[in-house]
Amino acid sequence: MLIRWRHVVATLVALPLLGFFIGWLGIIPLGASGGHWAVTDWFLHWVMRNSTRTAALRVETPPPLDDPARLPLAAGQFEMGCARCHGSPAQGRSAATLAMLPPPPDLGRVVPTWTDAELFQIVQHGIRYTGMPAWPTTNREDEVWSMVAFLRKVPGMHADTYRELAGLSATPSGTVEPPSMTCDSCHAESRLDAGSLIPSLAGQSVAYLLESLRAYAEDKRPSGVMQTAMSALDKDDFPALAAAYAARPRQRLAPESADPQALDHGRRLAETGDAARRIPACLTCHEKRDGNPSYPRLSGQSPAYLATQLRLFVSGKRGGGPYADLMKTAAENLDEADIQALSAYFASR
Ligand code: HEC
Ligand code: HEC
Ligand code: HEC
């Protein structure tokens, strides 16, 4: 019995040493060109699917995903951050990415094999050892859900629909370089409406636009979409971009049929606040002619965007420029009905 125990202990010590020795010899092939053995491939995928399924059990119940306003920002993000590996409805996968191990799959084919929660898990956290990256921030579940909503539409999506959603201009066939995204692919006034989750920048103050760009760049305002959009941008370009957008006229939104009672509630909160509930009057800071230019203009902004930002302030996830803490305090006691009412009120001003 004693001798058997010794054998076991000796084996336990020897096995890792043997492993190190083989690793040191340099005889394990790591080249990707040969691919995996079929059994390795099967095993890795099996582990990945099981791991994703288990992790997805912790994912909150998906919010409604049928809002079409989710699609443009997600399509733009897809073009900037996913298409170079997965291809897109407008472009096949390149030979270079097909030579990755594992190759990024054609999402049009595999998306139907996953549930919404599993897609959320994959897009938010990425997949280790494969090159599949995590979302640039862990603080923006709303953006990740928009990507899930978009991925659901990818199977069978027409190239023109994709280009239209992502704000890409039509490309003549035979183009080698993919058409590029610009700020206007998302922010052009003509692409925005009352449901937009993408903000209008037109007529916003230069100071606020500049501080917002700096906040994204310095990781003080989390948004995977804006952080990706700005990754190739030079800090020296910020002032010119801010000035150009500030100088544009803001288009009038087609009036939404907002509930008059909600509008009234929104106006009262904006003008006088609610001292009992410790909600300050928004207009003491916002929309003042001689006010601090770091307090953004809200009038005529899309109500869907305003509501998203207010929810982010309430949950403490918004971040922002040097004065953002003032706004966090102003928003902390708002409930969902206040948020809807205030967003409708400011959008209609
Ligand atoms: C650098 C390349 C790369 C980028 C960029 C990338 N992916 Fe992936 N992705 C992969 C690879 C490789 C896999 C395969 C993982 C595997 O098979 O285990 C994958 C897997 C996936 C899967 C699971 C599909 C399946 O059945 O295996 C989804 C969904 C996905 N990616 C979505 C996205 C989205 C959305 C983006 C952009 C936000 C993105 N990917 C960006 C490389 C990439
Ligand atoms: C793929 C779509 C997309 C692209 C491309 C894009 N943006 Fe954005 N932008 C967004 C979204 C979505 C938001 C809201 C992000 C958030 O919740 O903080 C935003 C927010 C902003 C804001 C903050 C506005 C506010 O009212 O707080 C500024 C400033 C901005 N973008 C400037 C730019 C500039 C400059 C570029 C080009 C370098 C650009 N964006 C490219 C989608 C995009
Ligand atoms: C003490 C001044 C102050 C008060 C009061 C205030 N805000 Fe703000 N608000 C700010 C500042 C400063 C910012 C800019 C935060 C940043 O740096 O991104 C802001 C940003 C916002 C934004 C984000 C706009 C965008 O383009 O992303 C919304 C929406 C907003 N405020 C709504 C409100 C509402 C509604 C109220 C009233 C309940 C209110 N604010 C009260 C100072 C204030």
Side-chain angles (χ1 to χ4, degrees):
M1 187 68 193
L2 201 66
I3 295 172
R4 285 218 185 125
W5 271 113
R6 272 197 204 145
H7 283 153
V8 171
V9 171
T11 315
L12 283 180
V13 172
L15 270 181
L17 287 179
L18 185 67
F20 271 107
F21 181 65
I22 293 175
W24 175 79
L25 282 178
I27 54 172
I28 300 176
L30 284 187
S33 58
H36 288 309
W37 290 339
V39 57
T40 319
D41 207 35
W42 170 83
F43 180 73
L44 292 176
H45 258 97
W46 180 72
V47 172
M48 190 269 270
R49 291 203 84 94
N50 293 336
S51 154
T52 304
R53 196 183 54 223
T54 306
L57 295 175
R58 287 193 304 267
V59 172
E60 54 178 314
T61 12
L65 297 182
D66 49 4
D67 178 1
R70 288 187 181 275
L71 303 180
L73 76 101
Q77 172 73 357
F78 190 87
E79 179 63 24
M80 295 185 299
C82 320
R84 72 193 144 93
C85 284
H86 290 284
S88 76
Q91 213 199 6
R93 286 168 293 170
S94 74
T97 56
L98 286 172
M100 284 171 67
L101 191 65
D106 171 3
L107 294 178
R109 209 170 41 75
V110 296
V111 157
T113 67
W114 299 101
T115 66
D116 289 344
E118 287 166 347
L119 286 174
F120 178 93
Q121 165 65 28
I122 292 170
V123 176
Q124 175 72 78
H125 298 289
I127 306 172
R128 229 175 253 203
Y129 307 126
T130 67
M132 169 63 202
W135 198 255
T137 165
T138 48
N139 258 341
R140 289 302 300 266
E141 288 88 353
D142 59 320
E143 292 184 337
V144 178
W145 282 120
S146 290
M147 182 57 83
V148 173
F150 170 77
L151 290 175
R152 280 278 168 249
K153 304 274 185 212
V154 164
M157 182 180 281
H158 194 277
D160 290 341
T161 313
Y162 175 75
R163 288 199 197 94
E164 169 56 31
L165 281 175
L168 297 167
S169 48
T171 20
S173 51
T175 313
V176 176
E177 279 290 308
S180 55
M181 296 278 302
T182 66
C183 308
D184 266 348
S185 300
C186 289
H187 288 289
E189 286 289 286
S190 57
R191 291 179 52 78
L192 305 179
D193 59 34
S196 292
L197 296 170
I198 298 171
S200 165
L201 309 179
Q204 188 55 276
S205 82
V206 180
Y208 174 73
L209 291 176
L210 202 52
E211 280 160 11
S212 299
L213 292 174
R214 293 196 178 123
Y216 290 125
E218 291 162 12
D219 235 356
K220 291 180 182 155
R221 178 171 172 186
S223 163
V225 176
M226 271 310 293
Q227 280 158 322
T228 309
M230 291 179 58
S231 49
L233 207 61
D234 196 290
K235 265 191 163 55
D236 296 342
D237 297 334
F238 293 179
L241 278 166
Y245 276 107
R248 289 188 190 177
R250 183 169 289 186
Q251 72 169 5
R252 270 199 79 80
L253 294 172
E256 272 225 318
S257 47
D259 165 17
Q261 240 178 331
L263 276 179
D264 205 50
H265 177 52
R267 177 180 304 108
R268 260 182 295 125
L269 279 182
E271 286 172 357
T272 56
D274 185 342
R277 294 166 59 213
R278 290 192 295 126
I279 298 169
C282 319
L283 294 173
T284 51
C285 290
H286 291 282
E287 319 300 297
K288 289 173 73 167
R289 237 175 259 286
D290 54 350
N292 183 337
S294 297
Y295 301 166
R297 172 178 169 191
L298 309 176
S299 302
Q301 186 61 278
S302 121
Y305 170 76
L306 292 176
T308 307
Q309 298 301 306
L310 287 172
R311 287 184 202 115
L312 290 171
F313 278 118
V314 171
S315 62
K317 293 180 177 172
R318 164 59 156 66
Y323 301 97
D325 283 345
L326 293 177
M327 180 56 209
K328 189 171 176 286
T329 317
E332 65 194 0
N333 296 315
L334 298 176
D335 62 23
E336 184 58 28
D338 301 331
I339 289 176
Q340 300 275 354
L342 284 161
S343 305
Y345 166 70
F346 278 108
S348 74
R349 264 172 71 105

